[in-house]
Amino acid sequence: MKRFIIASIASLVFVVACQKVPLTGRNQLMLINSKELLPMSFTSYKEVLDTSKVLRSGAQVEMVKRAGQRIKKSVEAYLTANNYSQVLEGFQWEFNVIENKAVNAWCMPGGKVVFYTGILPICRDETGIAVVMGHEISHAIASHGAERMSQGLLAQGALTAGQVGLGVAMANKPQETQNIWMGLYGIAAPAAASVGYILPNSRNQESEADRLGLTFMAMAGYDPRAAVDFWQRMAQASGGQKPPQWLSTHPADNSRVSNLQKLMPDAVKLYNKSTGNTKSTGRR
């Protein structure tokens, strides 16, 4: 009976708190309004910049900022054309590079982007940066931070003010930061819920960000075919030191590349349209 009641409550929550990702139509659980994250996101972003070595000039910084601006424009154009401009309400775009060996980049809710210098050699050039930029911005556009927090709260069965407050503050921060704080404050999901629900959904979000990222970079005039090369380089850089896919927040490398290749024909059409080419084979 207890299990039935819990299952019924969970089902009710899904019915009441479900919404669709604007660009893909996927249903997502949303117990937290993504716009509620913005003030704390902006504060957290400033704290990160204030406590890090932010690079203010140089070729790499210029490429990151240029790619950011171009993809920002393509995101705005796509959302406006598809009547989803409300998704960007409250966004305050910003693109920065931090000197850090971590192979990482992220975008907080509201368009606050950071690239660590550790990922730039794998990006290689501006098109590689655009691959990562499109992917990370897509997480924010699809409200993945709020969705992940909602999933964690549901799995934990905890929706107290303190837990929600911490979740908002941590949403879309680097994964290592989330892991530490969520563990300390008891928001980490039970193992069964993590393996059976949260991790598969996280992998879905990553695949979704890959799909949207291809669209945004192609519309910005960057050849989306570079995405396959980038993720193959990322796989090589990891040296195979990854958990099996069912225990990971990310798709397996071969699955990711295979999915990208399936999406590529439509992305290339968008790229050709954006560049005015009908038989484009080169990369920008």
Side-chain angles (χ1 to χ4, degrees):
M1 176 62 71
K2 183 178 179 182
R3 290 182 179 178
F4 174 77
I5 293 173
I6 293 174
S8 299
I9 293 173
S11 298
L12 179 62
V13 169
F14 272 104
V15 171
V16 173
C18 245
Q19 70 176 39
K20 290 184 181 292
V21 177
L23 309 184
T24 66
R26 179 180 64 85
N27 288 324
Q28 60 181 169
L29 177 69
M30 198 61 68
L31 300 177
I32 301 170
N33 187 330
S34 59
K35 292 183 176 60
E36 294 172 355
L37 297 176
L38 298 188
M40 292 185 184
S41 172
F42 298 159
T43 298
S44 297
Y45 188 75
K46 184 177 184 302
E47 290 174 354
V48 170
L49 297 185
D50 288 345
T51 56
S52 305
K53 185 176 180 180
V54 180
L55 303 185
R56 302 297 181 185
S57 62
Q60 291 180 324
V61 174
E62 291 175 3
M63 285 193 295
V64 168
K65 291 185 180 294
R66 186 164 52 246
Q69 289 296 330
R70 286 174 61 174
I71 290 179
K72 165 183 171 289
K73 291 180 180 178
S74 71
V75 168
E76 292 171 344
Y78 190 100
L79 293 178
T80 299
N82 289 277
N83 299 316
Y84 287 120
S85 55
Q86 71 276 9
V87 171
L88 295 176
E89 289 179 6
F91 268 55
Q92 297 178 15
W93 296 94
E94 195 169 349
F95 310 98
N96 281 291
V97 178
I98 288 176
E99 187 172 302
N100 189 306
K101 293 181 180 179
V103 181
N104 200 10
W106 40 267
C107 178
M108 284 185 174
K112 299 295 189 180
V113 177
V114 157
F115 270 65
Y116 293 143
T117 53
I119 200 172
L120 295 177
I122 300 176
C123 293
R124 289 188 178 175
D125 55 23
E126 189 172 325
T127 303
I129 289 172
V131 173
V132 180
M133 186 72 71
H135 176 91
E136 297 303 333
I137 285 177
S138 293
H139 280 308
I141 298 302
S143 301
H144 286 164
E147 182 183 12
R148 289 182 186 182
M149 192 59 216
S150 299
Q151 292 166 351
L153 290 169
L154 179 63
Q156 186 70 16
L159 197 58
T160 66
Q163 287 170 318
V164 172
L166 177 67
V168 169
M170 290 293 106
N172 268 7
K173 280 201 171 183
Q175 188 62 52
E176 57 268 28
T177 305
Q178 291 188 42
N179 290 343
I180 293 171
W181 284 93
M182 295 305 182
L184 285 173
Y185 284 84
I187 300 184
S194 181
V195 172
Y197 171 58
I198 290 181
L199 289 178
N201 274 279
S202 180
R203 292 192 292 272
N204 287 339
Q205 291 170 348
E206 287 298 319
S207 296
E208 192 169 61
D210 285 345
R211 173 184 171 184
L212 300 179
L214 280 184
T215 297
F216 296 145
M217 71 175 293
M219 288 183 63
Y222 294 105
D223 192 330
R225 287 166 289 199
V228 171
D229 296 339
F230 170 80
W231 288 111
Q232 288 174 337
R233 293 195 298 271
M234 280 288 287
Q236 293 173 356
S238 71
Q241 301 300 313
K242 292 183 178 181
Q245 178 167 289
W246 64 279
L247 284 176
S248 176
T249 59
H250 290 61
D253 295 322
N254 58 345
S255 296
R256 167 169 258 154
V257 169
S258 177
N259 288 336
L260 286 170
Q261 289 171 334
K262 291 175 183 177
L263 295 168
M264 202 57 65
D266 288 340
V268 170
K269 288 179 182 177
L270 286 174
Y271 168 66
N272 290 339
K273 182 178 179 180
S274 72
T275 58
N277 296 327
T278 57
K279 296 181 179 181
S280 175
T281 58
R283 291 179 181 168
R284 294 178 61 182

